[in-house]
Amino acid sequence: MPTSKSPDVIVVGAGVVGAACAYYAARSGLSVTVVDRGPVAGGTTGAGEGNLLVSDKEPGPELDLALLSTGLWRTLAEDLPQHTEYEPKGGLVVASTGPGLDALRDFAAAQTTAGVTAQEIPADRLHDLEPHLAPGLPGGVHYPQDAQVQPALAAAHLLRASRAEVRTGEEVTAVLTGPRGEVRGVRTPSGTLHAPCVVNAAGTWGGELARLAGAHLPVLPRRGFVLVTEPLPRVVRHKVYAADYVADVASASAALQTSAVVEGTPAGPVLIGASRERVGFDRTLSVEVLRRLAAQATALFPVLARVRALRTYAGFRPYMPDHLPAIGADPRVPGLLHACGHEGAGIGLAPATGLIIARLLTGGEPPLDVTPFRPGRFAAA
């Protein structure tokens, strides 16, 4: 039976989404325990670039979530330590052909009607924003709302600010339920934790946690690699990517896709992505992926051809078939809420997700329409 020391809510997952859920739940007056099978930010968060983007999202529910999160991240940047490396540097999306620029222009115009700030940059002004860009590009679009954060540090500081009890290295092996199927807590190898609510923020393992509770979420891992260069002077000022990255993000293909995404960091290294492929949890190093990333990055920034890549790392994005996360109460399991399936956008969307979960936990009004994110939209397998 629950004791006086039982928390109000258990959050499963100590990545940035779970940390944001804990942070906003605690600010709403709830006591929180966070449980993770590994360390803080040991999954998708720790393998991310820290992108906080509106530029890659078409008008719709995900963009609405991103715009809300953009404002919340600005507030968090004032409240959390500067060590999170929050940097509102903006994004620059560049086209490689005239028709590509036309398509990018139309995409940006639609985003503008949804509240995005987007400014077309003609060819002769691209180098004002990025002096080291390759010559001959026909133009691009500047997105001043795009930003970046160091994701592992952001997760750690959100958890610290929440004052939640954090239990790492404890895998949830069962979700405990009562006679009416309602959540009663979780079981780990260390014992039983009681709570009337459990938040599934388990990232790529979100589908497995849902299964333990008797629910269904079709979360799949989508692997990606990132190249990290030696420390450099600030040769890349914004987050810069080729326009075809947007199509890759929206694709449902399981096959390998790569498109150049290049950004500098306050510490000096340049991060080069992005690749996507569904290969399960296979972490095998792919030389072909790294070759493609390097070639595409140097095509955008020729100066990088003379720079050493010091390391690479792989991560798994929690992919959902309709490219929308599951956020909200599970209709099949009272007391179970989901906050997973954000794919590569989880770091950017974490604050809005956490705020929504906190409002639902406390009976408040969500800050936006959560219907598109309802976990019950997927039929059982």
Side-chain angles (χ1 to χ4, degrees), residues 84-178:
T84 56
E85 297 182 11
Y86 174 78
E87 191 179 11
K89 61 187 176 183
L92 178 64
V93 185
V94 295
S96 56
T97 65
L101 180 59
D102 292 338
L104 178 58
R105 184 182 294 121
D106 292 342
F107 184 75
Q111 290 175 305
T112 300
T113 64
V116 173
T117 302
Q119 179 185 11
E120 183 174 349
I121 306 299
D124 61 359
R125 286 196 51 225
L126 283 176
H127 287 84
D128 294 341
L129 274 70
E130 290 289 344
H132 297 284
L133 263 179
L137 295 170
V141 174
H142 178 225
Y143 291 90
Q145 290 160 298
D146 282 357
Q148 186 178 11
V149 73
Q150 211 294 339
L153 290 173
H157 285 298
L158 281 168
L159 286 174
R160 179 174 296 175
S162 76
R163 299 190 177 181
E165 178 188 7
V166 180
R167 302 175 65 146
T168 56
E170 294 192 30
E171 181 177 358
V172 171
T173 57
V175 176
L176 308 178
T177 55

Side-chain angles (χ1 to χ4, degrees), residues 40-105:
V40 172
T44 301
T45 295
E49 295 175 72
N51 298 327
L52 316 178
L53 304 183
V54 299
S55 58
D56 63 343
K57 297 170 180 64
E58 65 181 1
E62 189 183 27
L63 179 57
D64 295 340
L65 200 65
L67 287 167
L68 173 59
S69 266
T70 294
L72 293 173
W73 270 119
R74 284 197 295 266
T75 301
L76 288 171
E78 297 174 357
D79 295 340
L80 298 177
Q82 293 183 356
H83 300 300
T84 56
E85 297 182 11
Y86 174 78
E87 191 179 11
K89 61 187 176 183
L92 178 64
V93 185
V94 295
S96 56
T97 65
L101 180 59
D102 292 338
L104 178 58
R105 184 182 294 121

Side-chain angles (χ1 to χ4, degrees), residues 43-49 51 204 220-228 245 248-249 253-259 261 271-293 296 311-319 343-345:
T44 301
T45 295
E49 295 175 72
N51 298 327
T204 51
L220 295 172
R222 203 177 189 190
R223 185 176 72 182
F225 287 93
V226 175
L227 276 171
V228 184
Y245 170 77
D248 284 357
V249 169
S253 173
L256 172 64
Q257 297 167 312
T258 61
S259 50
V261 181
L271 306 181
I272 299 170
S275 68
R276 283 173 163 77
E277 56 185 333
R278 295 212 308 273
V279 291
F281 285 100
D282 182 3
R283 287 187 175 274
T284 304
L285 181 68
S286 172
V287 176
E288 172 61 18
V289 171
L290 302 184
R291 185 192 66 77
R292 287 197 197 183
L293 292 178
Q296 292 170 343
R311 64 186 181 94
T312 184
Y313 57 88
F316 298 99
R317 306 175 182 92
Y319 167 87
E343 201 172 329

